[in-house]
Amino acid sequence: MADEIEIDTDDLERRMKGAMDSLRHEFSSLRTGRASASMIDPITVDAYGSPTPINQLGTVNVPEPRMVTINIWDKGMVGKVEKAIRESGLGINPQLNGTIIMLPIPELNEERRRELTKVAAQYAESARVAIRNVRRDGMDQIKKAKTKGMAEDDQKFWESSVQELTDKMIAEVDKALEAKQAEIMQV
């Protein structure tokens, strides 16, 4: 019976990777000095009676490093999309050219770049906390298994494998944070 006890490290790894995916999504919404189509992902427009993401109302392109263009398919939606972008808090002033909305990305000043690196660090810390919470759940499973008769050698094995997984995922978070901060500080 005691030999049958195993800890589901695949589930722990899946949950830790979920924290990493969430971090990557948060990082993609951070505005750096470069244009990115994902900047407008959180913006929705009241179209046809329901909130609709902009990328479902037109084609989003990044023709140059500091420009995002949106080619709206329905001419009647151009004004609503422009208004939604203005009110989104992105700090970008859309320019109209027929059915094409151009979003010039302004240069970030040094102070704003430093603020954004701090925000990125907060996102990374939240991801680390989520990963550590998954680690704690794994360690709790091991403790419960020990009370059910898990051998001490098995306990040490599972604890070390959970810790290795945690260390690996936290190193990934640190690497992603370093890359994002370098991207933000790049002029």
Side-chain angles (χ1 to χ4, degrees):
M1 172 75 188
D3 296 336
E4 300 297 316
I5 300 173
E6 278 201 24
I7 306 302
D8 189 1
T9 54
D10 290 341
D11 179 56
L12 297 176
E13 184 173 11
R14 181 187 53 76
R15 290 169 53 200
M16 287 181 185
K17 283 186 177 182
M20 270 306 294
D21 291 343
S22 175
L23 176 67
R24 285 190 188 102
H25 180 72
E26 287 174 330
F27 277 175
S28 72
S29 70
L30 268 183
R31 194 176 79 119
T32 61
R34 294 198 333 234
S36 166
S38 63
M39 310 170 44
I40 61 167
D41 285 351
I43 305 172
T44 58
V45 180
D46 184 32
Y48 315 113
S50 65
T52 309
I54 290 177
N55 61 7
Q56 292 181 12
L57 297 172
T59 308
V60 180
N61 289 313
V62 182
E64 354 177 326
R66 297 208 183 282
M67 177 75 71
V68 175
T69 61
I70 309 163
N71 188 358
I72 306 297
W73 300 316
D74 181 358
K75 285 182 181 180
M77 287 286 125
V78 174
K80 288 183 177 183
V81 172
E82 179 191 17
K83 183 179 178 192
I85 292 169
R86 282 189 202 283
E87 295 174 352
S88 69
L90 271 181
I92 298 175
N93 192 20
Q95 300 170 352
L96 287 178
N97 183 1
T99 59
I100 297 175
I101 298 175
M102 295 178 289
L103 306 174
I105 311 300
E107 188 77 43
L108 294 174
N109 62 20
E110 188 70 21
E111 182 182 334
R112 182 71 178 132
R113 287 180 192 278
R114 292 198 191 291
E115 287 173 23
L116 286 173
T117 58
K118 289 177 184 171
V119 171
Q122 290 171 347
Y123 288 163
E125 186 55 33
S126 296
R128 285 188 205 102
V129 168
I131 289 169
R132 288 185 196 117
N133 286 340
V134 174
R135 175 191 173 275
R136 188 190 63 229
D137 292 348
M139 293 300 184
D140 288 347
Q141 287 178 18
I142 294 168
K143 285 178 187 166
K144 285 179 186 169
K146 184 182 180 193
T147 61
K148 292 180 182 175
M150 177 185 271
E152 197 167 319
D153 287 348
D154 290 343
Q155 178 190 356
K156 296 254 186 269
F157 168 79
W158 288 113
E159 283 176 353
S160 68
S161 69
V162 168
Q163 187 59 48
E164 282 174 25
L165 181 61
T166 303
D167 293 343
K168 181 180 117 187
M169 295 307 286
I170 291 209
E172 270 189 52
V173 168
D174 293 341
K175 185 176 169 189
L177 173 63
E178 203 173 292
K180 188 63 177 182
Q181 286 180 331
E183 180 185 334
I184 290 170
M185 293 309 287
Q186 178 184 335
V187 179

